[in-house]
Amino acid sequence: MKYNRILLKLSGESLAGEKKQGVDAVRLEEYAGQIKEAAEMGVQIGIVIGGGNIFRGLSGAQKGFDRIKGDQMGMLATVINSLALSSALSAIGQKNRVFTSIRMEPVGELFSKWRAIDAMQNGEIAILAGGTGNPIFTTDTASALRGIEIEADAMFKGTRVDGVYTADPEKDPSATKFDTISFDEVYNRGLKVMDLTATTLCQQNNLPIVVFDMDTVGNLKKVLSGENIGTLVHA
């Protein structure tokens, strides 16, 4: 499949690298380099980054934070990560623009489908920060929503795992990887590709998901080039 435009979902935890929290400069540079390499292939790219390396609303709620305020803190964490990625991309000469789900100029421009598409068509990376702008919803759901809005050909979910497995490969060494799997089978097997809301949005709007290991340098270009790495989740 030839991808003209993608939504790239990056994990906040992965952005922490070996530090396990905050932003790891080495991992940030690796991500920026891979994204620029993909853009040079002619692929238009929108990006959503999680905020779990800084603050996760649900975890905060379990520690006594008000859930709504905790989620708002998590949304701001995604903005911090987005600004870090924007800075890293700018440092290597890759044009980009940060859009936020809630108004916070001059930190970023308020998200608009049409402005984001226009930016991507002009060769800029559109970094879509702040989740959906609403509490309760995850950045997985924000990725599905933004992917649909920007009319992406697919969502690329970059994780530390190289695809979808029959079980968690970090806990079950006998788990086997799928090359492709349908949304229905994901549901029937109870696999945790993304949260249920995000997965349902993708299925209902025919947005395939490619799950791959973003932490291995060069993998984004490989998967965009059609190499058989990762897992394709499809209708």
Side-chain angles (χ1 to χ4, degrees):
M1 178 177 180
K2 173 69 169 63
Y3 299 102
N4 175 59
R5 181 182 300 148
I6 67 167
L7 187 290
L8 176 63
K9 167 60 166 56
L10 298 176
S11 160
E13 288 91 339
S14 289
L15 200 61
E18 298 300 321
K19 296 171 61 177
K20 305 301 182 186
Q21 61 181 0
V23 177
D24 180 77
V26 173
R27 177 60 53 76
L28 187 65
E29 289 174 4
E30 289 174 350
Y31 276 7
Q34 290 197 75
I35 292 163
K36 182 180 181 184
E37 193 174 44
E40 289 172 345
M41 296 171 64
V43 181
Q44 297 175 20
I45 305 170
I47 299 176
V48 171
I49 314 177
N53 56 320
I54 299 173
F55 190 87
R56 186 183 294 280
L58 187 59
S59 299
Q62 293 168 350
K63 297 175 183 177
F65 281 87
D66 174 83
R67 174 63 194 275
I68 303 304
K69 291 188 183 301
D71 281 353
Q72 289 170 337
M73 293 167 69
M75 285 187 267
L76 292 175
T78 73
V79 176
I80 292 171
N81 285 340
S82 296
L83 292 175
L85 181 60
S86 172
S87 179
L89 287 168
S90 295
I92 59 174
Q94 174 58 55
K95 294 190 297 180
N96 66 89
R97 198 185 311 182
V98 175
F99 295 88
T100 60
S101 57
I102 52 177
R103 191 175 294 281
M104 57 176 71
E105 295 91 345
V107 171
E109 182 178 334
L110 183 65
F111 173 77
S112 155
K113 164 182 175 168
W114 308 113
R115 291 195 183 102
I117 289 176
D118 185 60
M120 289 184 290
Q121 288 176 336
N122 287 329
E124 296 177 77
I125 306 297
I127 305 174
L128 313 173
T132 66
N134 299 286
I136 307 302
F137 296 102
T138 66
T139 49
D140 278 347
T141 299
S143 300
L145 175 63
R146 295 296 185 237
I148 295 161
E149 286 181 301
I150 67 172
E151 302 176 17
D153 298 317
M155 180 199 299
F156 280 66
K157 183 174 170 63
T159 71
R160 64 176 182 267
V161 181
D162 64 344
V164 179
Y165 283 75
T166 53
D168 186 344
E170 296 180 347
K171 298 177 181 177
D172 183 355
S174 67
T176 57
K177 186 170 80 74
F178 296 96
D179 290 331
T180 65
I181 186 172
S182 69
F183 285 110
D184 286 340
E185 192 169 359
V186 167
Y187 291 129
N188 293 337
R189 288 176 173 267
L191 302 176
K192 306 298 182 185
V193 177
M194 297 191 300
D195 68 74
L196 193 59
T197 303
T199 307
T200 302
L201 273 173
C202 290
Q203 182 181 29
Q204 290 179 339
N205 291 275
N206 197 28
L207 181 67
I209 307 165
V210 179
V211 182
F212 73 106
D213 172 17
M214 179 74 179
D215 295 354
T216 298
V217 176
N219 269 2
L220 179 57
K221 181 178 181 180
K222 287 179 181 178
V223 74
L224 285 170
S225 298
E227 290 195 31
N228 189 26
I229 61 174
T231 300
L232 173 65
V233 185
H234 57 88

